[in-house]
Amino acid sequence: MKRPLRALAVAGLLAAGSIVAVALGGTASADTQICEQYGSTTIGGKYVVQNNRWGTSAQQCINVTSTGFSITRQDGVGNTSGAPVSYPSIFVGCHYTNCSPGTNLPVQVKSISSAPSSISYTYVSGAVYDAAYDIWLDPTPKKDGVSQMEIMIWFNRQGPIQPIGSVVGTASVAGRTWEVWRGSNGSNNVISYVAPSAIPSLSFDAMAFINDTKNRGAITSDWYLTSIQAGFEPWQGGVGLAVNSFSQSVNTGGTTPTTPPATTPPPGNAACSVKYTTNVWNNGFTADVTVTNTGSSTVNGWTLNYNLPSGQTITGSWNATVTQSGSAVTARNLSYNGTLAPGASTSFGYQATLSGGFSTPTSFTLNGSTCTKV
């Protein structure tokens, strides 16, 4: 839950004696403290960092760096069966009329080719909070107010708190398994992906979560991505929580990314493994494919080939360029996931229609080398 980032511009001393070093619309060139309730600043010429203390009148301060922020004061205490007291975060896109510099959002989902993301958190003990990565979508190119769909990715959950709604199952997205919750807070619908244990950092494609949400019927490709945010929802405590770094891009146009020259493992050696995980319904399915370099040499640029059983037709993909000719499927890396060091893995996925019985591919080759199916 997040409430408005209002257009307040206050710089001075608060009752508690803390200095509001920056107000809405400022720019941080060095470490900057924000204590004003809805104060914000920009960093890196691309991102907005916001204090967003929407759920309490108690004091909260954040220290903004050139790459993220940390919570330096948090006096609010929320009911753990209710809403958090705030959502200090960093974002791209538009949040209550506050748009990040140079953003191309809002943009329709069907126009997005990839949305490479990267986040690094610092966690603390003795506090009640979640570490959330939020993706907001709406049927219109909305730049103010609440978007109708909120995707929450919970990288960490501490204390007796839970997402909005109830558990509807699990999902394999971005190479990991998540507990999935679904509900509404009265202002917008929410689908939450909750990690079973804390994830301190991750690089992934936000489109993987957007496509999973679309596959659940919550949005369509005609909806607009309005903003992507990362931060913390504290209920109690939280001093020391930090977003160390945040990177988010939204690529449009559907152009094929430049692929580095491939390093082909020697034929006949199983220098790779593939895990193929599916979610199947009556006339369709989604597949998450995890490719692991089990060889001793780095793979610089990869192409995975395999055949789909009869009656299966791919309709959309994420984290890779996936093409189909008859039963033959070719999946190629994108610009940000083409390098696989020994032991490293990457994941991609797709949605497909299904006619008749379901079965999975029986064999895979990576750059011409046969992979082990796990």
Side-chain angles (χ1 to χ4, degrees), residues 248-283:
Q248 181 65 62
S249 298
V250 177
N251 301 320
T252 60
T255 57
T256 302
T258 302
T259 301
T263 299
T264 304
N269 293 339
C272 51
S273 66
V274 174
K275 182 179 180 180
Y276 192 85
T277 306
T278 58
N279 179 26
V280 184
W281 55 93
N282 288 339
N283 57 357

Side-chain angles (χ1 to χ4, degrees), residues 96-286:
Y96 285 90
T97 72
N98 189 13
C99 295
S100 59
T103 183
N104 60 344
L105 303 181
V107 66
Q108 280 187 298
V109 169
K110 63 185 179 184
S111 299
I112 303 173
S113 56
S114 63
S117 314
S118 181
I119 184 73
S120 172
Y121 289 107
T122 291
Y123 300 134
V124 298
S125 59
V128 178
Y129 65 91
D130 67 69
Y133 204 102
D134 273 22
I135 303 169
W136 290 89
L137 302 112
D138 196 83
T140 66
K142 196 174 185 69
K143 293 185 178 182
D144 61 345
V146 181
S147 294
Q148 290 189 22
M149 186 71 229
E150 177 184 12
I151 302 172
M152 295 191 73
I153 309 168
W154 282 30
F155 283 74
N156 193 3
R157 170 172 53 172
Q158 295 296 314
I161 57 173
Q162 66 181 42
I164 292 167
S166 58
V167 178
V168 295
T170 61
S172 178
V173 185
R176 292 176 176 267
T177 300
W178 310 81
E179 185 179 69
V180 183
W181 293 63
R182 191 164 183 174
S184 173
N185 62 22
S187 299
N188 56 272
N189 296 319
V190 185
I191 292 180
S192 301
Y193 298 83
V194 182
S197 58
I199 301 173
S201 63
L202 188 68
S203 295
F204 62 101
D205 190 340
M207 284 302 296
F209 292 93
I210 292 173
N211 282 317
D212 188 80
T213 297
K214 183 177 67 174
N215 294 340
R216 296 173 187 275
I219 65 168
T220 73
S221 295
D222 290 327
W223 281 47
Y224 290 80
L225 173 62
T226 59
S227 71
I228 299 179
Q229 310 171 345
F232 301 95
E233 292 186 314
W235 272 258
Q236 299 170 13
V239 171
L241 292 171
V243 171
N244 305 313
S245 62
F246 171 78
S247 174
Q248 181 65 62
S249 298
V250 177
N251 301 320
T252 60
T255 57
T256 302
T258 302
T259 301
T263 299
T264 304
N269 293 339
C272 51
S273 66
V274 174
K275 182 179 180 180
Y276 192 85
T277 306
T278 58
N279 179 26
V280 184
W281 55 93
N282 288 339
N283 57 357
F285 68 96
T286 59

Side-chain angles (χ1 to χ4, degrees), residues 257-263 293 298-303 319-320 332-341 344-346 366-367:
T258 302
T259 301
T263 299
N293 177 9
T298 297
V299 174
N300 292 308
W302 53 264
T303 299
N319 272 8
R332 293 185 175 89
N333 66 273
L334 298 181
S335 58
Y336 57 86
N337 63 356
T339 300
L340 292 177
S345 299
T346 190
L366 185 72
N367 294 350

